[in-house]
């Protein structure tokens, strides 16, 4: 069946649900590149009007990628909770937007409905929302996860310390970690992107962080962001793997491009549970996503990049991750052209992830060939802070010298916590005070003497 | 300057662990003023970003580059891709991989066939090409000439992606292609050149079928060394009649221009 809507004397027709969703999407370069975007502004708003009239129930009858050919669609359909859906089953997409914004809809009702939502429903309502709508609703969501720190409590905003080094040199990584800890950064995770995805590198870096953790008694959880198959080998060696990482895509085909299947992720979660490093019931996985990765690997199946991004979250929620992060501006201007597109996408992803029950963070970032700069990042960071973003990245001086892009800095974390009155995770905050990195009131002291217990990592020089 | 200026109070605090910088080039121990960066670090970052932005956006002087090449005694032809301007180039990688119709017609005129197609393209850093392309060619061209293989003129392309060399190679019916192309600038280096080598360059080749020599610049891989590596790879391509991962001894890197 198709859809149509008349606007200004023109009747716009949309062949199927995936076309309707694509045409309704706010403009972005990736959908143009894929040949899926609306032809003009009028067609775009006509698609949004048609979408607003569509009953949510319709999403249970029409898949954007066939059930038979895609395991992500099968996961979405098979995990759908009909009783959770009941409260909103009679709504259209347009009415669902109003329900989400209503003062009567609080954190409890949002999380009760969440298992009844498919990612396509969430993507659809997202497309007809303004930035302030995305902020309002996301700010109401509460998603709390736990490993050694508790992430996502009200009034808190966590940070992933990202101490990358182009040669994976443990001392170089350690130097950035120590700098970040002095700035009170690292309560979400200390997460290293290795330049080289091999087992020896992973083991060497894990060993260094474990030494730091045990020497400092810091309540940190670490992650080396190698491929899940590398992590499985490390776990076989009983290496100190806290969190298992994987990049996700929203289609089976694009996941194959990442070299993963859902069965492999199942196996990885089992293996991480087997190590029993976290407290009982701990969340053990860390996922990264980002609009455009499916098109980048020629696995988009004719679906727009924002809808595909929401489908990643259906994959993620199966594994109860500690952290999920949209690396929004990393992919480049052929997917998100400028600061405006990056900003909108970051808030969309955060909203969709939160609504689907995920501990959503955002890598507020850009590359040097995108039309963006630090001012755009400040605007997105501030909006995400107001929206209750679970965590952000902390990169020394905002400059990742291994991945060659700009993210948020340790200073940015100080800024957003200060202007919004946000605090680090309680366990981490207590550790900062106990070690003297912060004073009794939670203010950082920047006293280099506090680094001394960690100096064996660097061969006790200095 | 007045007396009071000399006695101005300290307005920012240093981070007294700058000795850690011996372990990493990361921007650590920057100091602070409240949550903000000290002014020098703040503007230093802007300077690095400005250099990167200018490298991406400054128009490539293809005619000037071709004149430099011709002055060395090597024939050159200026072409352009189907990306009409920089904004299109950045948003439509598919357009940057194909020759514009007039350039395609120009290269389709009867010419001597070539074993090796040679291309120089701006990619994501016109500055990388301006600074490092000739130093690479100065070493590379004599090495290639010594093999006795037929070389194409040096095709100097504006708004080109890596795969533009496939289209060029196809028109010359070449067995191999080499493209020198500006890499995506980082904050620490805006003038990195990449060399991509492809066996049987034809439209539709994918990046896993290429060999890459990356980070070619002063302070990175020296242009002379990059040229020698390229000549050796070419020799092995003709010996094994293959390229890409099967031939790789040098590390394979993803195309920095997102091709």
């Amino acid at each position: 069946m198709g859809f149509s809507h008349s606007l200004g004397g023109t009747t716009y027709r949309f062949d199927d649900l995936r076309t309707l969703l694509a045409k309704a999407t706010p403009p972005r370069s990736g959908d143009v590149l894929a040949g899926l975007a609306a032809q003009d502004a009028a067609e775009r708003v006509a698609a949004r009007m048609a979408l607003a009239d569509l009953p949510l129930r319709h999403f249970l009858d029409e898949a954007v990628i066939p059930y038979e050919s895609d395991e992500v669609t099968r996961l979405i359909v098979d995990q759908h909770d009909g009783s959770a859906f009941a409260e909103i089953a009679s709504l259209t997409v347009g009415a669902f937007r109003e329900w989400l914004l209503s003062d009567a809809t609080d954190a409890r009702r949002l999380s009760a409905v969440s298992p009844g939502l498919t990612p396509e429903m969430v993507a659809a309502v997202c497309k007809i929302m303004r930035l302030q709508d995305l902020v309002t609703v996301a700010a109401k969501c509460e998603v709390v996860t736990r490993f050694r720190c508790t992430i996502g409590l009200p009034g808190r905003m966590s940070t992933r310390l990202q101490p990358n080094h182009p040669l994976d040199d443990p001392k170089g990584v350690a130097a950035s970690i120590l700098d970040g800890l002095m700035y009170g950064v690292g309560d979400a995770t200390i997460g290293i992107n290795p330049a080289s995805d091999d087992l020896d590198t992973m083991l060497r870096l894990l060993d260094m962080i474990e030494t730091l953790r045990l020497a400092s008694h810091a309540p940190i959880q670490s992650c080396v962001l190698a491929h899940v198959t590398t992590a499985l080998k490390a776990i076989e060696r009983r290496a100190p793997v806290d969190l298992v990482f994987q990049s996700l895509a929203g289609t089976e085909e694009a996941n194959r491009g990442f070299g993963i299947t859902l069965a492999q992720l199942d196996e990885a979660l089992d293996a991480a549970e087997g190590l029993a490093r976290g407290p009982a019931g701990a969340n053990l996985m860390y996922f990264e996503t980002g609009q455009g990765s499916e098109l980048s690997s020629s696995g988009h199946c004719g679906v727009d990049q924002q809808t595909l991004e929401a489908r990643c979250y259906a994959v993620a929620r199966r594994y109860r991750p500690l952290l999920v992060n949209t690396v929004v501006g990393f992919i480049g201007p052929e997917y998100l052209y400028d600061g405006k597109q990056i900003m909108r996408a970051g808030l969309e992803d955060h909203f969709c992830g939160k609504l689907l029950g995920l501990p959503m963070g955002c890598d507020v970032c850009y590359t040097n060939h995108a039309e963006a700069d630090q001012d755009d990042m400040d605007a997105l960071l501030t909006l995400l802070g107001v929206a209750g973003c679970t965590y952000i990245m902390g990169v020394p001086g905002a400059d990742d010298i291994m991945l060659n892009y700009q993210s948020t800095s340790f200073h940015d974390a100080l800024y957003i916590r200060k202007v919004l009155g946000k605090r680090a995770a309680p366990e981490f905050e207590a550790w900062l005070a106990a070690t003297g990195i912060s004073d009794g009131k939670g203010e950082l002291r920047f006293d280099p003497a506090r680094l001394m217990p960690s100096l064996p990592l660097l061969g006790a020089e200095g | 300057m007045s007396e009071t200026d000399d006695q101005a109070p300290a307005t920012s605090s240093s981070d007294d662990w700058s000795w850690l910088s011996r372990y990493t080039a990361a921007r650590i121990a920057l100091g602070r003023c409240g949550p903000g960066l000290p002014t020098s670090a703040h503007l230093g970052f802007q300077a690095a970003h400005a250099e990167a932005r200018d490298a991406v956006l400054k128009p490539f002087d293809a005619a000037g580059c071709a004149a430099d090449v011709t002055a060395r005694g090597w024939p050159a032809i200026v072409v352009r891709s189907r990306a009409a301007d920089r904004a299109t180039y950045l948003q439509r990688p598919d357009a940057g991989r194909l020759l514009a119709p007039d350039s395609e017609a120009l290269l389709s005129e009867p010419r001597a066939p070539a074993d090796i197609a040679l291309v120089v393209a701006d990619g994501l850093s016109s500055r990388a090409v301006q600074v490092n392309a000739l130093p690479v060619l100065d070493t590379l061209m004599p090495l290639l000439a010594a093999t006795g293989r037929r070389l194409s003129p040096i095709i100097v392309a504006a708004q080109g992606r890596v795969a533009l060399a496939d289209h060029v190679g196809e028109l010359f019916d070449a067995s191999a292609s080499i493209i020198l192309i500006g890499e995506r600038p980082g904050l620490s280096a805006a003038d990195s050149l990449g060399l991509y080598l492809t066996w049987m360059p034809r439209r539709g080749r994918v990046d896993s079928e290429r060999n890459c020599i990356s980070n070619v610049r002063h302070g990175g891989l020296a242009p002379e060394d990059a040229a020698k590596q390229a000549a050796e790879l070419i020799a092995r391509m003709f010996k094994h009649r293959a390229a890409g991962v099967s031939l790789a001894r040098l590390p394979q890197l993803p195309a920095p221009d997102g091709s």
Side-chain angles (χ1 to χ4, degrees):
Chain A
M1 70 169 274
F3 310 90
S4 68
H5 196 88
S6 295
L7 186 67
T10 304
T11 300
Y12 297 90
R13 296 187 195 285
F14 310 99
D15 287 345
D16 50 22
L17 182 57
R18 66 176 185 172
T19 305
L20 181 63
L21 287 165
K23 301 284 188 188
T25 305
R28 63 206 55 192
S29 47
D31 291 335
V32 175
L33 180 62
L36 301 171
Q39 293 302 309
D40 54 32
E43 186 187 26
R44 185 171 291 118
V45 77
R48 285 182 196 157
M49 288 171 165
L51 193 56
D53 290 342
L54 193 65
L56 288 177
R57 283 184 190 284
H58 182 87
F59 290 82
L60 302 179
D61 298 331
E62 184 181 354
V64 295
I65 304 172
Y67 184 93
E68 297 70 26
S69 62
D70 187 282
E71 68 171 354
V72 176
T73 300
R74 290 197 288 280
L75 174 65
I76 291 165
V77 171
D78 297 348
Q79 78 180 179
H80 184 253
D81 181 338
S83 57
F85 180 64
E87 178 168 0
I88 51 167
S90 63
L91 302 180
T92 61
V93 172
F96 182 44
R97 172 181 170 274
E98 293 167 356
W99 182 88
L100 288 169
L101 287 167
S102 155
D103 289 332
T105 301
D106 57 11
R108 192 191 53 75
R109 287 177 86 184
L110 286 168
S111 80
V113 158
S114 182
L117 297 174
T118 68
E120 290 85 356
M121 293 176 194
V122 173
V125 75
C126 178
K127 292 175 196 300
I128 63 164
M129 292 170 88
R130 293 170 56 185
L131 291 193
Q132 68 165 253
D133 299 346
L134 300 175
V135 170
T136 299
V137 177
K140 290 198 277 190
C141 294
E142 275 180 33
V143 180
V144 178
T145 58
R146 194 158 164 259
F147 198 91
R148 293 188 187 98
C149 284
T150 309
I151 313 290
L153 292 169
R156 309 279 172 168
M157 187 167 183
S158 293
T159 48
R160 166 193 163 190
L161 209 169
Q162 183 172 311
N164 298 340
H165 187 279
L167 302 175
D168 298 320
D169 172 31
K171 287 186 179 182
V173 171
S176 289
I177 292 176
L178 296 180
D179 194 58
L181 291 175
M182 293 299 280
Y183 277 79
V185 165
D187 53 333
T189 184
I190 294 182
I192 309 167
N193 299 89
S196 120
D197 191 327
D198 62 75
L199 182 60
D200 286 346
T201 301
M202 183 166 186
L203 295 177
R204 201 165 66 239
L205 292 171
L206 286 172
D207 186 56
M208 182 272 290
I209 302 186
E210 186 70 348
T211 305
L212 168 71
R213 184 179 77 83
L214 294 173
S216 66
H217 307 290
I220 52 175
Q221 43 276 330
S222 66
C223 186
V224 173
L225 284 74
H227 193 268
V228 68
T229 51
T230 311
L232 275 167
K233 287 182 208 150
I235 292 172
E236 272 172 33
R237 303 271 196 99
R238 309 298 291 178
V241 177
D242 288 341
L243 303 178
V244 174
F245 168 80
Q246 183 54 46
S247 293
L248 298 180
T251 69
E252 179 179 336
E253 197 178 341
N255 278 325
R256 203 178 304 129
F258 279 140
I260 55 159
T261 61
L262 298 183
Q264 275 176 310
L265 296 177
D266 290 349
E267 188 190 344
L269 180 58
D270 283 348
E273 281 171 349
L275 283 181
R277 287 177 57 80
N283 304 92
L284 300 174
M285 298 196 80
Y286 175 16
F287 295 122
E288 285 189 349
T289 63
Q291 291 189 26
S293 57
E294 296 83 3
L295 174 58
S296 166
S297 65
S298 306
H300 65 82
C301 304
V303 180
D304 72 88
Q305 64 186 37
Q306 190 259 325
T307 300
L308 291 173
E309 174 70 11
R311 284 168 58 96
C312 297
Y313 307 149
V315 176
R317 69 176 168 181
R318 172 182 172 88
Y319 302 98
R320 299 180 50 251
L322 183 79
L323 305 163
V324 180
N325 155 29
T326 171
V327 192
V328 68
F330 185 72
I331 192 159
E334 61 268 47
Y335 305 94
L336 295 167
Y337 182 59
D338 56 13
K340 183 178 170 73
Q341 292 187 6
I342 292 170
M343 192 180 312
R344 166 94 201 172
L347 289 159
E348 288 171 345
D349 297 351
H350 177 254
F351 161 83
C352 291
K354 281 281 167 74
L355 209 51
L356 289 167
L358 293 172
M360 207 63 204
C362 182
D363 191 342
V364 175
C365 65
Y366 64 106
T367 57
N368 286 323
H369 60 325
E371 288 289 327
D373 61 19
Q374 294 299 92
D375 287 344
D376 297 300
M377 298 303 105
D378 289 344
L380 177 54
L381 171 61
T382 307
L383 285 163
L384 283 166
V386 176
C389 184
T390 304
Y391 71 106
I392 55 168
M393 310 307 116
V395 177
D399 173 12
D400 189 308
I401 58 169
M402 194 282 279
L403 293 170
N404 268 321
Y405 77 119
Q406 286 87 256
S407 180
T408 42
S409 67
F410 305 149
H411 295 73
D412 292 331
L414 282 187
Y415 151 75
I416 197 71
R417 282 178 175 164
K418 190 151 279 205
V419 294
L420 295 178
K422 300 269 189 182
R423 296 158 61 186
E427 300 87 349
F428 194 75
E429 201 174 43
W431 174 78
L432 291 174
T435 56
I437 291 176
S438 69
D439 65 17
K441 295 173 192 160
E443 289 293 321
L444 295 165
R445 297 167 64 186
F446 300 99
D447 175 2
R450 302 303 150 191
L451 289 171
M452 297 312 285
S454 307
L455 291 188
L457 287 178
L458 300 168
E461 297 160 82
Chain B
M1 298 290 271
S2 69
E3 287 289 307
T4 48
D5 281 337
D6 292 338
Q7 293 163 9
T11 48
S12 67
S13 311
S14 61
D15 291 333
D16 297 327
W17 51 88
S18 55
W19 55 271
L20 283 177
S21 293
R22 83 180 63 159
Y23 300 107
T24 180
R27 293 172 194 250
I28 61 171
L30 295 176
R32 71 223 107 75
C33 42
L37 280 173
T39 301
S40 60
H42 161 61
L43 294 179
F45 183 99
Q46 288 194 354
H49 187 236
E51 204 165 313
R53 291 297 290 158
D54 285 346
V56 172
L57 294 177
K58 282 225 170 121
F60 174 45
D61 179 10
C65 178
D68 291 343
V69 165
T70 312
R72 296 286 212 276
W74 308 313
I77 301 174
V78 174
V79 300
R80 59 194 180 90
S81 80
R82 290 189 190 174
D85 53 41
R86 208 58 175 158
T88 306
Y89 176 81
L90 290 170
Q91 293 178 83
R92 297 298 301 261
D94 50 338
R97 295 181 188 127
L98 294 172
L99 290 162
D102 55 345
S103 294
E104 185 174 1
L106 182 64
L107 295 191
S108 302
E109 289 169 10
R111 294 179 190 284
D115 299 315
I116 303 170
L118 298 167
V119 185
V120 174
D122 49 359
L124 282 166
S125 172
S126 58
R127 190 167 148 213
V129 177
Q130 195 187 330
V131 175
N132 292 312
L134 275 179
V136 170
L137 291 173
D138 282 337
T139 303
L140 180 62
M141 292 303 284
L143 290 173
L144 293 180
T147 65
R149 299 191 196 284
R150 298 168 302 175
L151 307 179
S152 77
I154 295 175
I155 308 303
V156 180
Q159 313 288 17
R161 299 244 171 200
V162 170
L164 190 78
D166 296 342
H167 199 182
V168 173
E170 188 175 308
L171 294 174
F172 280 95
D173 198 23
S175 299
S177 67
I178 306 176
I179 181 169
L180 283 58
I181 188 164
E183 295 183 331
R184 192 184 88 201
L187 285 195
S188 48
D191 61 349
S192 254
L193 193 73
L195 276 61
Y196 289 81
L197 291 79
T198 307
W199 180 252
M200 294 310 256
R202 300 293 180 269
R203 279 177 288 178
R205 287 271 179 266
V206 295
D207 287 332
S208 57
E209 298 178 285
R210 308 184 201 283
N211 290 87
C212 169
I213 299 168
S214 187
N215 194 29
V216 181
R217 63 185 171 92
H218 297 287
L221 178 63
E224 302 72 30
D225 294 336
K228 286 175 197 161
Q229 286 186 15
E232 190 189 322
L233 278 169
I234 284 288
R236 289 203 277 153
M237 275 185 189
F238 277 91
K239 185 174 171 197
H240 298 286
R241 308 196 69 73
V245 282
S246 57
L247 194 67
R249 188 186 65 180
L250 303 161
Q252 289 289 314
L253 297 169
D257 73 345
S259 68

